[in-house]
Amino acid sequence: MDQTDILPCKSSHRKSAKTEADSKLRIRLDVFHQLHCLDKIRIYLHRDYYAMREHPQMQLIHVHHCLDSLREIIMCRGDTELVTFEYVSEERYPNPRPNPNFLVERKCRNWDAIADWAKEHHADIGAAESREVWEEKHGPAASPG
């Protein structure tokens, strides 16, 4: 898989810290952040079952960030696949109205190729250039938000 098949053109103008050893950009495909967020929300919904390491207030801040991030992605990408409606047997679901059929056929990207590309282009975050080197090249670090 070619880099142009994975990376959107708009990413080319963004700055990212580089590793000191081989000058690889410190980047991550956003799909991995999206999956992290989905998992974070799932764990939060079942927090009585999981051992939570974050402070409760931090957990909630993290979940709110994830919900907003996923909302933005859903709205920006706007899936336009059609959802049809049909009647189902009254024994299965006693509803006088047609029910949505969410079994939408999707054309997916090749997940293995995406994961392989990410693994091949992985750069160790521990080897990232220092804040001083970054600010020398790009100016003061950005404020979160």
Side-chain angles (χ1 to χ4, degrees):
M1 180 169 276
D2 186 280
Q3 178 168 316
T4 56
D5 294 333
I6 293 190
L7 297 178
C9 295
K10 66 182 182 202
S11 294
S12 62
H13 72 278
R14 294 179 59 191
K15 300 181 283 190
S16 185
K18 295 182 179 182
T19 59
E20 290 182 6
D22 54 12
S23 291
K24 281 188 177 178
L25 286 177
R26 286 294 309 127
I27 60 171
R28 175 177 60 189
L29 298 178
D30 198 32
V31 67
F32 296 107
H33 177 248
Q34 295 160 17
L35 289 171
H36 156 81
C37 276
L38 193 57
D39 192 46
K40 185 70 178 173
I41 294 165
R42 179 188 63 81
I43 288 170
Y44 186 78
L45 288 172
H46 302 284
R47 61 190 172 277
D48 293 339
Y49 177 78
Y50 292 98
M52 304 300 281
R53 293 187 181 101
E54 288 179 311
H55 183 278
Q57 177 124 8
M58 211 41 227
Q59 291 171 24
L60 198 54
I61 289 169
H62 198 155
V63 167
H64 280 220
H65 152 77
C66 284
L67 285 169
D68 193 54
S69 180
L70 292 172
R71 176 204 54 81
E72 184 179 89
I73 290 159
I74 291 167
M75 290 178 74
C76 288
R77 303 229 168 112
D79 188 346
T80 56
E81 290 293 335
L82 300 177
V83 174
T84 58
F85 289 77
E86 56 194 52
Y87 288 98
V88 295
S89 69
E90 285 196 29
E91 296 86 42
R92 261 185 59 205
Y93 189 65
N95 186 355
R97 298 181 311 223
N99 295 288
N101 179 350
F102 293 112
L103 300 175
V104 175
E105 269 192 52
R106 301 184 188 283
K107 184 177 188 310
C108 296
R109 292 186 174 153
N110 182 331
W111 179 256
D112 291 335
I114 292 169
D116 289 347
W117 186 94
K119 205 177 295 182
E120 183 181 323
H121 292 86
H122 171 79
D124 181 14
I125 193 161
E129 63 194 355
S130 69
R131 176 183 293 277
E132 291 79 21
V133 170
W134 166 268
E135 290 184 344
E136 217 173 87
K137 289 180 192 173
H138 305 288
S143 298

